Amino acid sequence: MSNILAGLFEHHSDYKKLEADLESSGFQNSDYIVYLNDGNHSPYMVSVAVKDHQIDSARNVFSQNTVLKTYLFENMDLEQANYIDIKNYINVRNKAEIHNSPDVRIKGSTSGMDSEVKF
């Protein structure tokens, strides 16, 4: 069983160039799926069936085509990689991911109440 590497791309990036880059890297047309959305301003997604030794090659192609984020799904075939299922898996992973919090400034301790406090 293979793995699926899914990538999320900006709407303005060229998916035809991505397809050509994948095929020049050794992937067949039957090894990947491009999910295009109906809206003009929404990102699109690509799933590639990869074996363990092909993961880095696919990631390099994704990064050359300005991928926003990649997700690796192990033990999944391309037949199982329909758009709804992949999208649901990505949503679950994003909810479980700990995101960076903004910088928090912690004010140092003071000597307590002084003459500036009025009652």
Side-chain angles (χ1 to χ4, degrees), residues 8-64:
L8 188 63
F9 296 86
E10 282 287 341
H11 65 89
H12 57 76
S13 63
D14 186 10
Y15 73 90
K16 291 291 187 183
K17 180 184 178 306
L18 175 64
E19 289 176 344
D21 290 347
L22 283 171
E23 290 178 11
S24 68
S25 294
F27 294 99
Q28 301 295 321
N29 189 19
S30 59
D31 291 337
Y32 63 88
I33 301 172
V34 177
Y35 310 97
L36 298 175
N37 294 327
D38 293 332
N40 293 337
H41 299 291
S42 56
Y44 66 92
M45 190 169 49
V46 176
S47 294
V48 181
V50 292
K51 296 187 173 34
D52 290 334
H53 65 279
Q54 295 174 317
I55 294 172
D56 290 334
S57 175
R59 283 188 191 202
N60 288 338
V61 171
F62 280 10
S63 65
Q64 291 170 1

Side-chain angles (χ1 to χ4, degrees), residues 71-83:
Y71 303 90
L72 180 65
F73 301 103
E74 296 177 348
N75 299 323
M76 182 184 283
D77 287 328
L78 201 58
E79 291 81 26
Q80 298 169 323
N82 64 48
Y83 179 75

